[in-house]
Amino acid sequence: AQSVTQLDSQVPVFEEAPVELRCNYSSSVSVYLFWYVQYPNQGLQLLLKYLSGSTLVESINGFEAEFNKSQTSFHLRKPSVHISDTAEYFCAVSKGGSNYKLTFGKGTLLTVNP
Amino acid sequence: GAGVSQSPRYKVAKRGQDVALRCDPISGHVSLFWYQQALGQGPEFLTYFQNEAQLDKSGLPSDRFFAERPEGSVSTLKIQRTQQEDSAVYLCASSLGLADEQFFGPGTRLTVL
């Protein structure tokens, strides 16, 4: 079975500062990795995913995450955040080869302050 | 519609009542998923449909929980004899196929008093 640990439940930062949201997973098999974002009063949206190939994946709004197999991590980073990035971020994993039955972490609330 | 819709958005039930939560997936999406999100937790998988077939119900917490998708489109999650621990947000997601991106609905917040 897979499990996901998001080490920080809340991350407050100032606008234009860099941010890193940490995610570690455990699994005995190969996995697919995902970051979902939930803006206030909205549903979960896929931010980015790692299935195979390049270990660095990017989103259209400036976030990136790097799959590190040796450290079993998939940390999410952005060099300069905006107030509009305020949201809850969930890391998720599924068993490689079958992209269903997502296992989520508990989430990290990113609050960007002016 | 353009996205996954769920109804009602909010439901308050007295302990012991039965509830039914509806999910309208994106048109043409074969796969449909239900997740339960307790307060302060991430979503947890409940069950999965491919068309009308329920292929995985390993996440349903008890036999009080029942899901159906009789015509391969709309799905209903039914909870019988609700308990306080059933209070959570119930999320529905759909995808074109098993290996495709899951699109989530806004969820139904169930409060059991």
Side-chain angles (χ1 to χ4, degrees):
Chain A
Q2 298 87 243
S3 67
V4 177
T5 302
Q6 290 185 246
L7 297 169
D8 305 297
S9 60
Q10 297 186 53
V11 174
V13 295
F14 288 108
E15 195 173 16
E16 298 183 6
V19 71
E20 178 180 80
L21 306 183
R22 296 178 291 171
C23 172
N24 288 87
Y25 69 93
S26 66
S27 177
S28 58
V29 298
S30 63
V31 295
Y32 295 161
L33 294 155
F34 308 83
W35 276 99
Y36 281 83
V37 59
Q38 187 170 32
Y39 297 104
N41 300 314
Q42 295 186 29
L44 284 165
Q45 302 173 34
L46 181 64
L47 186 61
L48 46 76
K49 62 185 177 184
Y50 170 78
L51 303 182
S52 64
S54 172
T55 57
L56 184 65
V57 291
E58 299 177 350
S59 72
I60 59 173
N61 59 351
F63 283 93
E64 64 178 32
E66 186 162 19
F67 169 54
N68 187 319
K69 188 174 182 180
S70 63
Q71 297 187 3
T72 60
S73 68
F74 192 55
H75 301 331
L76 182 70
R77 302 183 182 96
K78 190 171 185 179
S80 175
V81 294
H82 303 288
I83 293 202
S84 59
D85 292 323
T86 294
E88 184 128 34
Y89 292 79
F90 293 92
C91 182
V93 61
S94 71
K95 190 167 65 173
S98 57
N99 180 17
Y100 81 101
K101 201 183 245 183
L102 294 167
T103 299
F104 287 87
K106 292 185 177 182
T108 297
L109 178 61
L110 173 65
T111 303
V112 181
N113 298 300
Chain B
V4 179
S5 60
Q6 294 186 245
S7 61
R9 290 293 311 277
Y10 303 91
K11 176 69 177 178
V12 178
K14 292 182 179 178
R15 189 163 56 92
Q17 282 185 330
D18 297 348
V19 298
L21 312 180
R22 177 188 169 108
C23 172
D24 285 79
I26 295 173
S27 178
H29 278 195
V30 169
S31 301
L32 186 144
F33 310 81
W34 284 98
Y35 293 85
Q36 179 191 58
Q37 186 176 15
L39 188 64
Q41 304 294 317
E44 292 191 2
F45 172 83
L46 293 177
T47 187
Y48 156 70
F49 289 86
Q50 185 164 331
N51 295 305
E52 69 279 3
Q54 189 175 18
L55 299 185
D56 187 338
K57 54 182 181 179
S58 61
L60 296 177
S62 77
D63 58 8
R64 296 186 295 104
F65 286 71
F66 173 76
E68 60 183 5
R69 194 186 184 197
E71 298 180 357
S73 178
V74 171
S75 178
T76 303
L77 177 66
K78 297 179 179 178
I79 309 174
Q80 298 176 324
R81 304 180 304 280
T82 53
Q83 304 294 316
Q84 283 191 322
E85 61 262 29
D86 299 335
S87 295
V89 175
Y90 290 85
L91 299 170
C92 176
S94 71
S95 66
L96 272 173
L98 181 62
D100 297 304
E101 176 183 346
Q102 294 183 31
F103 293 85
F104 283 80
T108 294
R109 182 177 297 278
L110 172 65
T111 303
V112 181
L113 303 177

